[in-house]
Amino acid sequence: MAYLAGKIVLAVTAGAPNNGRGEATTARVKKTVIRHQTYPYISAQALRRWLRDTMTERGALPSPTERVGKKQGKPQKATTAADPIRYADDDLFGYLKATAKAEGTDTTLRDSPFMIGTLLAVEPARPTEDYGVMARGIDDPVLHTHEFYTADLAAPFLLDVPRIGTFTLPTASGAGRANYLTQEAAMQVADAVSVGAEPVTFRGQPAVRLPLVVRRERAALLLESLAEIVGGAKKGLHYGDRTPTLLMLLAMHGGVNPLDFTISGADDGSGLQVRGDVLRAELQAWEAQWQPPVRVGWRPGFREITRKQFESDLAAEIEAGDILIDHPRTMLRTLAAELRDGTHDSWFDDPAR
């Protein structure tokens, strides 16, 4: 197995976890219009930031960031240290560090082994505009408004497990640049931190790879952070738990996600649906391309009627152990522990063709 495919659902109740550009004295939530209906969303950038912050709270050393460029409104950029050997977040989330020719250094980049889509509401939800007044101790009150909404939001994600801790090196033609370091720089950093990186061939490209124990730890850290993720805007006014309410995970040979239509919004706009018949059909279509079990994390009390129907529809698969249902936190932490102890070491290499 090479990939972990997943689908995540967050439940927002009277919340404003990700704001867009404000208008005058009104703070707006992010939302889009689909077929004339309004759908709130949380950007992938926001959730990735929450994951980075949660990883830091769990003890990971964050890659330092630097803002460079000209004044506001002019060409500008911000970058991390772009050091994926030293910093787990640079490894897992990627970076682009562009440099000017005058600086005498190469642009370096890495696309993200962890990929996630936009957390989009599964049904239309028109945000409420809340009117507020700041009049405490002043003669001329300050008027302001902000938006909030209630919705279940869902997004697919994919983790390219062999890419964790693996960095391709650019060839003379420039191939491999999506994940590259210079070999000299990579090995110098590896020597400096004594992590024992070694040269390998990865997907037909020369590469540098960190030891398996480091790669196990980074994959486990990501899953544990997803289990306990915190973050979001306006927590003082609209506090809410941002840990997953529903999550599915499946180990796949290739970078395909067969879970996307299993968890979705109903066609009639009536809300979240979790369809056992769709999951069964997808698993049959991708037979021999996935490794059981399908791991389902489902928080108690969340969509109980839908859960009972899902369990009834897939009773045979659950009985056979092909589908496991647990609390999202328990499921993710258990899988993280299995990664650390080497149970899934085969996931860190591409399957033989």
Side-chain angles (χ1 to χ4, degrees):
M1 296 298 137
Y3 296 85
L4 277 177
K7 191 77 180 273
I8 183 174
V9 176
L10 300 186
V12 175
T13 301
N18 189 205
N19 291 320
R21 184 186 294 273
E23 298 175 2
T25 59
T26 301
R28 303 289 186 189
V29 296
K30 289 184 177 178
K31 52 188 177 291
T32 188
V33 176
I34 303 173
R35 292 184 288 275
H36 309 292
Q37 299 275 11
T38 299
Y39 289 75
Y41 71 88
I42 297 172
S43 70
Q45 179 187 19
L47 189 132
R48 285 160 62 91
R49 168 64 186 272
W50 301 352
L51 273 172
R52 285 177 183 263
D53 291 345
T54 305
M55 287 170 55
T56 300
E57 290 179 4
R58 295 190 58 81
L61 184 64
S63 181
T65 56
E66 178 186 11
R67 186 184 186 280
V68 295
K70 300 180 181 179
K71 296 180 180 179
Q72 196 71 24
K74 300 294 184 178
Q76 54 189 304
K77 54 194 174 183
T79 182
T80 66
D83 184 349
I85 291 183
R86 190 183 303 272
Y87 301 109
D89 56 344
D90 274 346
D91 182 5
L92 293 168
F93 299 110
Y95 52 81
L96 168 62
K97 188 171 185 178
T99 57
K101 290 183 179 180
E103 296 179 26
T105 56
D106 292 331
T107 291
T108 181
L109 63 148
R110 174 170 174 77
D111 56 353
S112 176
F114 177 71
M115 298 155 270
I116 187 163
T118 299
L119 279 153
L120 182 67
V122 299
E123 62 181 323
R126 180 173 293 179
T128 297
E129 191 169 290
D130 185 52
Y131 173 76
V133 177
M134 172 55 177
R136 187 176 63 252
I138 56 177
D139 295 330
D140 190 9
V142 176
L143 309 182
H144 59 90
T145 56
H146 73 275
E147 292 182 330
F148 66 88
Y149 61 88
T150 295
D152 297 327
L153 302 98
F157 64 90
L158 189 71
L159 179 62
D160 188 346
V161 182
R163 282 260 321 281
I164 298 172
T166 304
F167 317 109
T168 55
L169 309 173
T171 62
S173 63
R177 293 179 67 88
N179 311 294
Y180 89 89
L181 298 173
T182 65
Q183 184 165 13
E184 180 182 10
M187 298 306 287
Q188 284 177 348
V189 174
D191 289 341
V193 297
S194 300
V195 295
E198 60 182 2
V200 296
T201 298
F202 180 71
R203 297 177 183 170
Q205 298 290 331
V208 171
R209 170 168 273 183
L210 297 179
L212 181 58
V213 65
V214 177
R215 292 181 281 136
R216 287 175 183 163
E217 176 59 31
R218 290 184 175 181
L221 175 63
L222 179 65
L223 295 183
E224 288 176 339
S225 299
L226 191 60
E228 301 181 5
I229 190 169
V230 294
K234 290 196 177 299
K235 289 186 287 186
L237 296 176
H238 295 290
Y239 167 74
D241 190 347
R242 299 295 171 242
T243 56
T245 50
L246 174 62
L247 187 140
M248 283 190 186
L249 271 177
L250 177 61
M252 294 289 297
H253 272 302
V256 173
N257 192 333
L259 302 175
D260 205 17
F261 293 109
T262 300
I263 300 174
S264 63
D267 291 339
D268 61 4
S270 60
L272 181 73
Q273 59 177 3
V274 187
R275 299 181 56 186
D277 59 332
V278 171
L279 179 57
R280 180 184 292 115
E282 287 282 10
L283 295 179
Q284 291 172 351
W286 294 99
E287 186 178 5
Q289 296 298 307
W290 64 280
Q291 177 182 305
V294 179
R295 294 169 172 84
V296 181
W298 201 316
R299 293 188 71 171
F302 178 70
R303 305 294 183 217
E304 288 284 10
I305 295 176
T306 302
R307 177 170 179 166
K308 289 178 180 178
Q309 185 63 54
F310 179 79
E311 292 177 346
S312 175
D313 291 344
L314 294 172
E317 288 84 352
I318 294 171
E319 177 67 24
D322 289 338
I323 296 176
L324 298 179
I325 303 178
D326 207 335
H327 191 287
R329 183 174 187 269
T330 304
M331 181 266 283
L332 287 165
R333 286 170 59 86
T334 298
L335 183 55
E338 292 173 357
L339 287 168
R340 280 197 179 94
D341 68 22
T343 300
H344 303 297
D345 279 355
S346 62
W347 293 359
F348 290 89
D349 286 300
D350 288 326
R353 297 295 181 183

